Amino acid sequence: MTTTDFLSILPITILVAWASILLLVDVFTNKQKWLTPLLAAIGLTVTLAFSITQSGNAYAGFNGMVVVDGFTSFLNVLFAISGLAGIALAYDYNKRMGLERGEYYVLLLFSVSGMMLMAAAADLIVVFLALELLSIPLYVLAGFARPKLDSEEAALKYFLLGAFAGGFVVYGVALAFGATGSTALGEIMAAVNTGTADMTLLLIGSALILVGFGFKVAVVPFQMWTPDVYHGAPSAVTAFMAVGAKAAGFAALLRVFVAALPTLYEELVPVMWVLAALTMFVGNIVAIAQSNIKRMLAYSSIAHAGYIFMALVAFGQQAVAPDAVAAALFYLLAYAVTNFGAWSVVIALEKAEGKGLQLDDYAGLGRKYPALAAAMLVFMLSFTGIPPTLGFVGKFFLFRIVLEAGFVWLAIIGVLTSLISAYYYLRVLVIMYMRDGEPEISSPVLLKLTTGLTAVGTVVLSIVAVPLFQWASQAVMKLF
Amino acid sequence: MLPISYYVGLSAILFSIGALGVLIRRNAIIIFMSIELMLNAANLAFVAFARAHEALSGQVFVFFVMTVAAAEVAVGLALIVTIFRNKQSIDVDQMSSLKG
């Protein structure tokens, strides 16, 4: 193992080692419940610092199985911050719901390490390992509120569908290996270019991998697990997995299809086009019918997966490919910030036994808690894509890329479905401000801080969006 | 020696049986077994292709898949046992407390 090898997985190593130590620490500090989350947050902060120092470099480790480039660093930062936000949301929530167990934070750290490995993976074996490393802790976290039946059901559904998706990914990898004689993305690409690859086999393999990750990022028609799992899992877990698992899934899709798309462009793009359009339609239209805020946000997350998926469609056009990746990364960032904010409001209103989750429970929030309502206003505007919010800028970059790549109809569908989405996002605002009610919230410091920071971030980052986008596009230039 | 296509064909059949099993069967354990069948179909394909390409990495991948499958079993069976304690049933059609 050379120094480069060691450096390339340093953030992941720190995180895994730290999580393993925390497992032990947690056993011996049963009385100090605040210690494990604090230590977990410190571990994540250190990882975040190392990830930041890595940015700007580009090197490969372990014979090219993992690569560190701008893409990796950008996503690593996103994942570490997601982990921190996940801890901040979970700390008081777990106390309130009687879930105060230290394993929660350890599992969260393991899951983050899987996501980071996914961002660095340049070999299909590593992609598969990272997928499982990030998913298995999430299955457990989804069922963390046991013996609550909702949570257990969510965990079982997530597990069965997740493992099913994993099966598709592995078989796809096996066929890609058969087609090219290698699982390294670089070598697959080389085999395709020299014409030694069996293209039919590779096409079937790529399609299976697409299906597997389609399940993971919840693209229609592979989305049926999402509402149930997001609804049943503890809200703090849902917030984390909605961001982390989705971003990691897209990271893998972007990486893998760098290798596959240029040659399989003709065959795959129409399929992806249909998937993206279907996802935007189904996610946004079914969300209208929801009366439970968790389910509504679940369908909204499906819809947003559809928007990000548009970037993958545009990705096939070589001329705009780097910008397409940058737009996808930027949208992931916008989605992450907004999503954590919205879930922090949900968590503030949620009460034991699943009460306080209906949309009607938000009535009167505008009068009684103006600050919280204002934050929710920002998040809903950002989800809809109304300026001055991050969501607007994200959609703007995304639609521009799709148009530049020549998919006019897809962009039109995107805009149309955004208009549809305005109906259910703005309905939350109407209920908050126009109806009378006596909502009760719990607002511990950490939760307030998360809500405040994400709300400010959603607005302020949208003002400095252009430099941020340039950072994202530099991040991608070094891909391979 | 049998041609490689026989092995790949067998693995494709196993994979299809596994995928159909997940979609058709309603018992959580049997669904889980079907998923394992899918993973093992991939393993068979890996070994066969490794032989065809004379590349060892395919055989090594099988070990990775087996390890991951074992980890999944540990978590999956634990989840199934917990839900059985609560409901006295592992029929996935009865998992319907989450509706919207």
Side-chain angles (χ1 to χ4, degrees):
Chain A
M1 195 163 119
T2 64
T3 323
T4 330
D5 290 349
F6 180 70
L7 275 180
S8 61
I9 56 159
L10 188 60
I12 303 164
T13 320
I14 296 172
L15 208 52
V16 171
W18 191 252
S20 311
I21 296 169
L22 264 190
L23 263 182
L24 274 180
V25 172
D26 183 56
V27 174
F28 293 108
T29 57
N30 238 333
K31 294 280 184 298
Q32 294 89 16
K33 294 284 187 202
W34 49 270
L35 191 65
T36 315
L38 179 69
L39 289 177
I42 292 173
L44 272 173
T45 316
V46 174
T47 314
L48 178 64
F50 272 105
S51 307
I52 291 173
T53 57
Q54 271 187 342
S55 68
N57 297 331
Y59 42 85
F62 297 96
N63 292 324
M65 290 186 113
V66 289
V67 289
V68 176
D69 54 16
F71 185 79
T72 317
S73 316
F74 186 97
L75 281 166
N76 278 355
V77 171
L78 183 68
F79 291 140
I81 293 175
S82 302
L84 285 172
I87 292 175
L89 290 185
Y91 181 65
D92 295 294
Y93 178 83
N94 285 2
K95 214 190 271 179
R96 194 146 36 102
M97 301 291 164
L99 306 174
E100 228 179 1
R101 277 169 288 187
E103 297 86 8
Y104 187 98
Y105 305 98
V106 177
L107 288 167
L108 193 126
L109 290 197
F110 279 127
S111 187
V112 172
S113 68
M115 293 165 189
M116 288 185 163
L117 188 60
M118 186 73 102
D123 189 299
L124 292 173
I125 297 185
V126 184
V127 168
F128 171 64
L129 284 180
L131 176 70
E132 297 296 333
L133 179 57
L134 87 89
S135 302
I136 291 177
L138 281 182
Y139 303 146
V140 184
L141 283 177
F144 210 74
R146 87 187 166 83
K148 226 178 98 192
L149 196 56
D150 282 4
S151 175
E152 285 178 358
E153 263 189 42
L156 188 67
K157 282 180 182 167
Y158 194 30
F159 168 74
L160 287 178
L161 267 304
F164 188 48
F168 277 96
V169 173
V170 185
Y171 202 71
V173 174
L175 293 187
F177 173 72
T180 59
S182 171
T183 52
L185 292 179
E187 284 175 41
I188 291 178
M189 213 149 63
V192 169
N193 290 338
T194 52
T196 51
D198 181 337
M199 289 316 281
T200 326
L201 217 50
L202 188 62
L203 179 64
I204 301 172
S206 321
L208 287 174
I209 295 176
L210 186 66
V211 170
F213 281 105
F215 270 109
K216 281 287 159 192
V217 299
V219 169
V220 177
F222 315 113
Q223 89 298 0
M224 56 295 196
W225 58 273
T226 319
D228 284 356
V229 172
Y230 281 23
H231 181 187
S235 300
V237 177
T238 312
F240 173 68
M241 100 179 138
V243 172
K246 195 156 292 208
F250 275 109
L253 277 175
L254 289 169
R255 271 266 201 236
V256 170
F257 284 92
V258 167
L261 256 190
T263 36
L264 299 175
Y265 178 69
E266 295 283 322
E267 288 87 353
L268 280 180
V269 161
V271 179
M272 294 206 201
W273 194 102
V274 173
L275 288 183
L278 265 181
T279 311
M280 291 187 285
F281 266 122
V282 172
N284 281 318
I285 289 174
V286 183
I288 293 177
Q290 305 304 319
S291 58
N292 178 304
I293 187 112
K294 282 177 95 172
R295 290 188 88 84
M296 192 200 93
L297 285 178
Y299 280 106
S300 129
S301 92
I302 295 173
H304 286 284
Y307 294 123
I308 306 171
F309 215 75
M310 285 200 306
L312 268 176
V313 179
F315 192 41
Q317 295 276 20
Q318 286 303 298
V320 297
D323 273 353
V325 180
L329 286 184
F330 190 89
Y331 200 88
L332 278 174
L333 175 82
Y335 173 72
V337 175
T338 314
N339 196 58
F340 272 117
W343 281 99
S344 77
V345 178
V346 173
I347 286 173
L349 270 105
E350 184 173 350
K351 293 174 200 62
E353 303 300 320
K355 297 280 189 316
L357 290 173
Q358 296 301 313
L359 286 178
D360 293 332
D361 293 323
Y362 285 70
L365 197 69
R367 198 154 304 152
K368 206 169 168 196
Y369 300 101
L372 193 70
M376 194 61 166
L377 170 82
V378 170
F379 302 135
M380 290 300 125
L381 290 184
S382 178
F383 271 145
T384 321
I386 296 173
T389 55
L390 261 185
F392 165 74
V393 190
K395 281 214 174 89
F396 174 76
F397 286 134
L398 212 49
F399 291 155
R400 196 186 62 183
I401 292 301
V402 175
L403 281 177
E404 271 176 24
F407 298 98
V408 181
W409 278 104
L410 194 59
I412 292 176
I413 291 175
V415 174
L416 270 181
T417 51
S418 302
L419 285 178
I420 297 174
S421 77
Y423 176 77
Y424 62 88
Y425 290 130
L426 299 185
R427 187 175 57 187
V428 177
L429 303 182
V430 171
I431 292 173
M432 268 186 346
Y433 283 105
M434 313 252 178
R435 283 204 211 148
D436 288 326
E438 283 298 312
E440 271 174 42
I441 61 164
S442 44
S443 55
V445 185
L446 267 179
L447 195 60
K448 264 192 218 161
L449 190 72
T450 318
T451 318
L453 277 181
T454 44
V456 171
T458 309
V459 176
V460 172
L461 289 181
S462 77
I463 297 165
V464 293
V466 175
L468 252 184
F469 185 76
Q470 271 161 0
W471 183 42
S473 35
Q474 273 169 0
V476 177
M477 284 309 186
K478 292 177 198 126
L479 197 74
F480 283 101
Chain B
M1 199 181 97
L2 286 169
I4 174 90
S5 54
Y6 284 41
Y7 294 96
V8 179
L10 176 62
S11 90
I13 291 169
L14 286 177
F15 183 81
S16 312
I17 293 174
L20 276 179
V22 173
L23 298 175
I24 292 170
R25 301 304 292 261
R26 300 283 51 127
N27 180 308
I29 299 252
I30 295 190
I31 292 180
F32 192 36
M33 279 164 59
S34 305
I35 292 172
E36 294 293 309
L37 192 60
M38 291 165 71
L39 293 182
N40 282 318
N43 282 348
L44 180 61
F46 266 120
V47 175
F49 284 131
R51 176 86 179 171
H53 289 294
E54 291 176 352
L56 259 183
S57 60
Q59 303 199 7
V60 176
F61 201 168
V62 173
F63 286 108
F64 282 102
V65 176
M66 283 178 358
T67 318
V68 166
E72 267 184 354
V73 168
V75 170
L77 289 185
L79 287 175
I80 293 174
V81 168
T82 352
I83 210 155
F84 182 76
R85 278 199 196 140
N86 213 334
K87 282 185 81 108
Q88 311 299 321
S89 156
I90 48 169
D91 188 326
V92 287
D93 280 343
Q94 291 177 26
M95 313 279 168
S96 51
S97 73
L98 299 167
K99 278 248 169 66

